[in-house]
């Protein structure tokens, strides 16, 4: 690998750097003008402008910013749920009518998943994210100030549409992160998403209890504009994907992916089932703890959400673990963890409160493991279509949440906790069947074709590893060539979009003929 006079890698050959554009061999280098304005009038900070010769490094700070932004933007979907009684009193309406508010918010979110998030494959993500945050903050001002129930319902629907910021950030993080850190980057954004779902109910309930419900939304306004300012200064102006597709072609291709990609279909089945389990557990936990034999009050029940947050905060460890695995096996281990958690829940949740505490923590860790692994597999399908593929997957996850909260609640109330636990175990059984029906190296829609060598992923060499090898290894006089591998699964294609390091073939004499890519 080439280095400069200080011994540092050149940008195009730095494995930690993405977004570097080099001319092909034999072509002259063309100076590409650096983009300096967002929306044609807003200056882009110099450090965030895209220089094709330099690219970007996805830092830990930016990854954490993505996670925090995901937490407080997705929370806007859930603030109303603990405030329904206060909202019905304030607008002078019935509980049945005010229950339309969270329904409309979720309907808006589904609309945004379908029609807004695919834009991440069409336009620059920096402009899309800044526009979404401006819209979300402005709409939330209306939620905090309006005295009309009809306007509040309409604004709730619109706030759901623009609350898809985390779903734009998720594939963006996958594009920015180098291959050997991709699962870690995804896990932090996903943990922010899960944390937002849990923390919204806590913040909404506490502020609504000791203040007015309007202050919950005023707080959200401040958080949105604060995140907007931070992202303006730290968000890279990563180039668009240059697909030259119209908006309707983008939507059509998304529908095509939903029926032609076996890995995506497999992930959607698993994601739907696991999301239904996650939603069923946390919705019915209130009934479990508030009834026999525990009879806990609202504050005590709310504290169990903090245990779930501790499980979410293990995301950096989960991400590093998945980075070392073939993602198919990460999904398998996550499903085994869910089976273990739900078995404890079904057998002991009404016997000992310690079992409930253990399940609150372990369920969240196992859910993260399977979701990070699934997302890693999905993003390896087609790097140029990550936003559309993520939209399809998240829509299935959203449908799972609806099934878990509605069907799971009815089963719990009519038949009890253990039957609800059995329902959740049945869903995980379906997820395991969907996973095992197609192996990690399968070349067909169903089956176990291909060679399974190990559940560990072949490590991607970092800059330090390459420096150490070049320092201690003897020089090889033959010209370096790259050994081709057959890319027969989504996991094999995980590094296809990144420049690979050159390595001399030492065993060329004894190797079989090179396989065609």
């Amino acid at each position: 690998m080439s280095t400069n006079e200080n011994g540092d890698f050149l940008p195009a050959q730095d494995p930690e750097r993405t977004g570097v554009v080099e001319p092909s061999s034999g072509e002259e280098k063309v100076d590409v003008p650096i983009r300096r304005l967002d929306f044609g009038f807003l200056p882009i900070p110099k450090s965030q402008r895209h220089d094709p010769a330099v690219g970007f490094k996805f830092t830990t700070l930016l990854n954490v910013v993505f996670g925090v932004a995901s937490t407080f933007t997705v929370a806007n979907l859930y603030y109303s749920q603990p405030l329904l009684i206060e909202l019905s009193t304030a607008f002078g309406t019935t509980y049945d009518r005010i229950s339309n508010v969270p329904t409309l918010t979720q309907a808006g979110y589904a609309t945004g998943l379908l029609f807004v998030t695919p834009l991440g494959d069409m336009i620059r993500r920096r402009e899309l994210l800044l526009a979404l945050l401006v819209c979300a903050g402005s709409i939330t001002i209306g939620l905090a100030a309006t005295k009309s129930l009809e306007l509040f319902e309409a604004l709730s629907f619109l706030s759901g549409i623009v609350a898809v910021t985390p779903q734009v950030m998720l594939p963006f993080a996958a594009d920015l992160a180098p291959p050997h850190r991709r699962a870690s980057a995804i896990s932090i954004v996903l943990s922010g998403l899960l944390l937002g779902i849990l923390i919204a109910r806590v913040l909404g309930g506490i502020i609504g209890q000791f203040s007015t419900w309007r202050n919950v939304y005023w707080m959200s306004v401040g958080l949105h504009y604060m995140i907007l300012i931070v992202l303006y200064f730290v968000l890279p102006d990563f180039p668009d994907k240059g697909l030259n597709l119209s908006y309707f072609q983008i939507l059509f291709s998304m529908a095509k992916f939903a029926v032609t990609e076996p890995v995506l279909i497999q992930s959607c089945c698993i994601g739907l089932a696991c999301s239904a389990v996650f939603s069923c557990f946390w919705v019915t936990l209130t009934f479990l703890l508030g009834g026999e034999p525990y009879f806990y009050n609202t504050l005590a029940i709310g504290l169990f959400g903090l245990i779930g947050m501790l499980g979410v905060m293990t995301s950096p460890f989960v991400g590093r673990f998945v980075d070392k695995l073939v993602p198919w096996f990460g999904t398998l281990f996550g499903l085994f963890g869910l089976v273990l958690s739900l078995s404890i829940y079904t057998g002991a949740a009404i016997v000992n409160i310690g079992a409930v505490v253990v399940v609150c923590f372990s369920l969240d860790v196992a859910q993260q493991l399977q979701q990070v692994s699934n997302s890693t597999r999905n993003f390896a399908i087609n790097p140029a279509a990550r936003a559309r593929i993520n939209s399809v997957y998240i829509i299935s996850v959203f449908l799972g949440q609806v099934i878990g909260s509605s069907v799971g609640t009815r089963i719990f109330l009519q038949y009890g906790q253990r039957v609800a636990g059995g329902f959740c175990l049945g869903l995980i059984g379906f997820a395991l069947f969907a996973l095992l029906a197609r192996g990690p190296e399968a070349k067909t829609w169903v089956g176990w074709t291909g060679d399974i060598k190990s559940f560990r992923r072949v490590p991607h060499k970092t800059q330090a590893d390459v420096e150490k090898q070049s320092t201690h290894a003897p020089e090889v006089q033959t010209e370096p060539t790259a050994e081709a591998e057959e890319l027969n699964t989504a996991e094999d294609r995980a590094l296809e979009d990144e420049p690979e390091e050159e390595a001399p073939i030492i065993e060329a004499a004894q190797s079989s003929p090179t396989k065609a890519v």
Side-chain angles (χ1 to χ4, degrees):
M1 280 199 169
S2 303
T3 58
N4 59 22
E5 60 273 11
N6 297 323
D8 298 325
F9 278 94
L10 296 180
Q13 292 160 341
D14 187 346
E16 298 290 335
R17 196 172 285 274
T18 55
V20 180
V21 180
E22 273 199 319
S24 304
S25 58
E27 293 184 0
E28 293 185 3
K29 183 177 179 180
V30 180
D31 289 332
V32 180
I34 297 175
R35 191 167 169 273
R36 290 176 167 80
L37 297 175
D38 280 326
F39 310 107
F41 68 90
L42 186 65
I44 302 173
K46 288 185 178 180
S47 60
Q48 305 309 328
R49 296 173 185 173
H50 178 245
D51 184 347
V54 178
F56 295 107
K57 277 193 175 182
F58 188 59
T59 63
T60 302
L61 175 62
L62 182 58
N63 204 172
V64 171
V65 169
F66 273 31
V68 173
S70 296
T71 297
F72 291 107
T73 51
V74 80
N76 238 26
L77 294 170
Y78 302 98
Y79 285 135
S80 64
Q81 293 183 7
L83 299 172
L84 293 179
I85 296 176
E86 289 83 354
L87 289 172
S88 67
T89 303
F91 289 111
T93 188
T94 62
Y95 291 168
D96 286 341
R97 175 67 187 275
I98 206 64
S99 65
N100 291 334
V101 170
T103 303
L104 286 168
T105 306
Q106 295 296 326
Y109 185 58
T111 304
L113 288 174
L114 186 60
F115 294 109
V116 177
T117 54
L119 291 173
D121 285 337
M122 188 175 175
I123 62 177
R124 290 183 178 248
R125 269 71 61 88
R126 176 183 167 90
E127 287 185 334
L128 178 58
L129 287 169
L130 295 180
L132 284 173
L133 284 166
V134 169
C135 292
S138 303
I139 291 170
T140 308
I141 291 176
L143 289 172
T146 185
K147 296 181 179 180
S148 166
L149 176 59
E150 290 76 14
L151 182 57
F152 190 88
E153 289 175 331
L155 290 174
S156 295
F157 178 78
L158 294 176
S159 70
I161 293 177
V162 295
V164 294
T165 300
Q167 305 309 335
V168 177
M169 286 183 167
L170 197 58
F172 193 18
D175 284 344
L176 286 170
H180 59 281
R181 289 179 50 209
R182 187 163 292 149
S184 297
I186 292 170
S187 71
I188 291 176
V189 181
L190 278 175
S191 68
L193 182 66
L194 294 175
L195 193 61
I197 296 172
L198 295 173
I199 204 172
R201 296 182 175 95
V202 176
L203 287 177
I206 292 175
I207 296 176
Q209 178 71 28
F210 297 102
S211 181
T212 172
W213 64 268
R214 295 185 186 275
N215 287 337
V216 175
Y217 289 102
W218 285 122
M219 174 202 68
S220 180
V221 171
L223 288 170
H224 272 84
Y225 285 123
M226 188 183 303
I227 292 169
L228 173 66
I229 293 170
V230 172
L231 287 182
Y232 171 77
F233 287 105
V234 304
L235 200 61
D237 186 35
F238 206 74
D240 61 53
K241 299 185 178 181
L243 300 179
N244 296 321
L245 296 176
S246 69
Y247 180 65
F248 292 105
Q249 287 175 319
I250 287 283
L251 295 180
F252 176 77
S253 65
M254 190 170 73
K256 185 178 177 181
F257 282 126
V259 296
T260 60
E261 287 292 341
V263 171
L264 178 59
I265 295 170
Q266 186 183 44
S267 294
C268 287
C269 292
I270 296 168
L272 184 147
C274 294
S275 177
V277 168
F278 184 81
S279 179
C280 176
F281 172 78
W282 283 104
V283 170
T284 59
L285 184 64
T286 300
F287 303 121
L288 173 67
L289 298 177
E292 190 179 352
Y294 301 115
F295 300 107
Y296 288 169
N297 59 31
T298 304
L299 179 60
I301 294 172
L303 292 177
F304 279 81
L306 299 178
I307 301 171
M309 291 179 196
L310 290 176
V312 170
M313 289 177 183
T314 62
S315 62
F317 306 102
V318 171
R320 291 193 189 102
F321 180 63
V322 175
D323 273 328
K324 298 176 182 178
L325 294 175
V326 173
W328 187 95
F329 287 99
T331 305
L332 180 65
F333 296 155
L335 292 178
F336 283 160
L338 288 170
V339 169
L340 178 61
S341 299
L342 291 169
S343 298
I344 296 172
Y345 171 77
T346 305
I350 58 175
V351 177
N352 192 303
I353 193 61
V356 180
V357 173
V358 169
V359 173
C360 286
F361 180 83
S362 61
L363 188 82
D364 280 19
V365 175
Q367 171 72 354
Q368 278 194 94
L369 178 55
Q370 72 80 21
Q371 196 163 1
V372 170
S373 301
N374 259 343
S375 295
T376 304
R377 298 182 74 213
N378 292 339
F379 290 148
I381 294 172
N382 186 340
R386 282 174 176 155
R388 286 166 285 168
I389 288 170
N390 185 62
S391 296
V392 174
Y393 175 66
I394 295 300
I395 287 172
S396 71
V397 169
F398 176 80
L399 292 175
Q401 290 177 352
V402 174
I403 293 171
S405 58
S406 57
V407 178
T409 300
R410 288 185 180 181
I411 292 175
F412 185 97
L413 294 176
Q414 290 184 19
Y415 302 104
Q417 171 265 332
R418 283 187 168 151
V419 176
F423 168 69
C424 291
L425 282 169
L427 288 171
I428 299 303
F430 167 75
L432 278 168
F433 173 79
L435 182 68
L436 296 174
R438 187 177 191 274
E441 302 290 337
K443 303 175 186 178
T444 56
W445 276 73
V446 178
W448 279 70
T449 56
D451 228 358
I452 304 174
K453 298 177 182 178
S454 173
F455 63 85
R456 286 184 173 273
R457 181 185 291 177
V458 177
H460 187 87
K461 291 182 180 180
T462 64
Q463 179 173 344
D465 295 332
V466 176
E467 287 176 347
K468 184 176 180 180
Q469 182 179 1
S470 63
T471 302
H472 298 290
E475 292 187 4
V476 180
Q477 299 300 325
T478 58
E479 287 189 12
T481 57
E483 183 179 5
E485 290 185 9
E486 184 174 6
L487 306 177
N488 55 23
T489 68
E491 286 83 355
D492 294 329
R493 297 195 296 270
L495 307 181
E496 185 181 9
D497 59 319
E498 303 290 344
E500 295 187 3
E501 299 170 306
E502 297 179 349
I505 298 180
I506 300 174
E507 301 177 356
Q510 42 187 319
S511 63
S512 58
T514 306
K515 298 178 183 178
V517 177

